[in-house]
Amino acid sequence: MTKKVIAVDLDGTLLNSDSKLSEFTKETIKKISKKGHHVVITTGRPYRMAREFYKELELHTPMINFNGSLTHIPEKKWQQERCITLDKEYLLDIVKRKEEIEADFIAGEYRKKFYITAPNETIADPKLFGVESFQPENQFNPELVTKNPNCILLQTHALADELNQFYQQQLSINTWGGPLNILECTPKGVNKAFALKHLLEVLNVERKDLIAFGDEHNDTEMLAFADTGYAMKNANQTLLPYADEQLPLTNDQDGVAHQLLKLFL
């Protein structure tokens, strides 16, 4: 059988509603990997918030984080690693305009750390950043911003379209959806499909051998790009036009694992 690249989103897709991997999913992914297929976590999460799942699944494949900004093999030097960042001046400028854009908080996200303007649990939930509580080193300080971030998160009453217009479409600014009014700013033109295209070239795999699983609007390009794109039963309706098939099971029903079982085991 031809070896496939299997791109899997985490939240709402591979993880259940408690943000956990079920034992069935873990065992299924391990069996798929042993058959020589490349299971690739492809997530909007920063690396520090995806690392534990990579280890639980016993993966050795590349991982894609920040919705395509970072493609790497965790804890290894890899010549084909690609890390695309935002100019730090955007982060500094958005923080300067905090009052103007009515931002509750603004955060610069890096591979293994983050800085937030309001490390206050009444304003921002630490779990959004993969920590139980904020620490002094998480406090935003312009002098600490010496490197370009992978992405910028802000909770604001401004609209993504308004910010996109203000920054003259130089960034990719999208909403997370849901009740939190969180906007994510990433390098323009970067998305999960952008990263997967690079990865296929590196692995010398054809696009016809890529399958992908997702549930949200940040998975649209990935599902459209894959030879077969699967939307979860619990997927956002905006994703469905980009999927080749909607799975009959949700993330809480191990939808991905059952489909992989059907396809490969």
Side-chain angles (χ1 to χ4, degrees):
M1 179 184 284
T2 305
K3 304 309 179 199
K4 301 287 186 181
V5 172
I6 302 164
V8 283
D9 173 51
L10 287 177
D11 297 283
T13 302
L14 202 63
L15 304 182
N16 61 26
S17 296
D18 295 323
S19 295
K20 305 282 186 193
L21 291 166
S22 74
E23 289 302 318
F24 177 66
T25 287
K26 284 193 270 192
E27 291 310 309
T28 303
I29 295 291
K30 288 173 190 175
K31 288 175 185 174
I32 294 294
S33 295
K34 280 180 183 171
K35 284 188 168 284
H37 301 294
H38 302 277
V39 178
V40 178
I41 290 175
T42 309
T43 178
R45 287 181 176 229
Y47 168 56
R48 66 174 187 280
M49 291 176 64
R51 177 174 47 205
E52 66 177 291
F53 306 118
Y54 186 87
K55 288 181 177 176
E56 282 184 64
L57 294 169
E58 297 176 9
L59 295 175
H60 303 284
T61 47
M63 182 194 289
I64 293 169
N65 296 101
F66 297 113
N67 285 320
S69 293
L70 175 62
T71 304
H72 63 123
I73 297 179
E75 310 304 332
K76 288 187 180 176
K77 285 193 173 179
W78 184 43
Q79 199 171 358
Q80 284 78 25
E81 177 175 308
R82 186 162 71 170
C83 180
I84 298 173
T85 57
L86 287 163
D87 189 321
K88 62 182 182 293
E89 293 304 320
Y90 286 116
L91 173 58
L92 296 170
D93 189 68
I94 289 172
V95 170
K96 277 183 194 169
R97 299 178 188 280
K98 184 173 181 291
E99 303 300 325
E100 181 186 332
I101 60 179
E102 301 179 65
D104 298 324
F105 71 76
I106 299 162
E109 284 270 19
Y110 297 81
R111 186 188 301 209
K112 294 183 178 178
K113 63 184 178 182
F114 66 94
Y115 301 125
I116 182 170
T117 55
N120 181 329
E121 293 174 27
T122 62
I123 295 173
D125 184 350
K127 290 186 173 61
L128 287 174
F129 299 90
V131 295
E132 290 300 317
S133 61
F134 293 119
Q135 302 301 316
E137 60 264 28
N138 302 136
Q139 173 70 57
F140 180 88
N141 178 339
E143 293 175 5
L144 295 176
V145 182
T146 57
K147 293 184 178 179
N148 293 335
N150 289 94
C151 78
I152 301 166
L153 291 183
L154 55 157
Q155 183 167 287
T156 174
H157 299 287
L159 298 175
D161 286 347
E162 292 173 0
L163 275 183
N164 269 317
Q165 286 174 16
F166 183 83
Y167 287 105
Q168 301 177 326
Q169 310 293 330
Q170 292 171 339
L171 307 174
S172 179
I173 304 174
N174 296 291
T175 177
W176 273 15
L180 293 177
N181 296 318
I182 290 179
L183 298 183
E184 180 178 82
C185 309
T186 52
K188 187 167 179 62
V190 172
N191 53 52
K192 293 181 179 183
F194 171 87
L196 285 165
K197 184 174 184 292
H198 167 68
L199 187 57
L200 291 183
E201 289 169 1
V202 168
L203 297 175
N204 197 24
V205 173
E206 294 183 40
R207 186 173 163 187
K208 67 180 178 59
D209 293 318
L210 171 67
I211 67 174
F213 296 86
D215 74 302
E216 267 296 349
H217 68 278
N218 65 330
D219 297 314
T220 54
E221 294 92 350
M222 174 173 77
L223 295 202
F225 178 69
D227 185 65
T228 309
Y230 295 101
M232 306 300 292
K233 185 179 180 182
N234 53 287
N236 187 314
Q237 292 298 303
T238 60
L239 183 63
L240 299 186
Y242 300 89
D244 296 291
E245 187 178 326
Q246 185 172 23
L247 297 182
L249 300 174
T250 68
N251 60 318
D252 286 324
Q253 297 168 312
D254 297 310
V256 173
H258 281 288
Q259 185 63 23
L260 291 176
L261 203 63
K262 182 177 159 186
L263 291 171
F264 302 115
L265 296 174

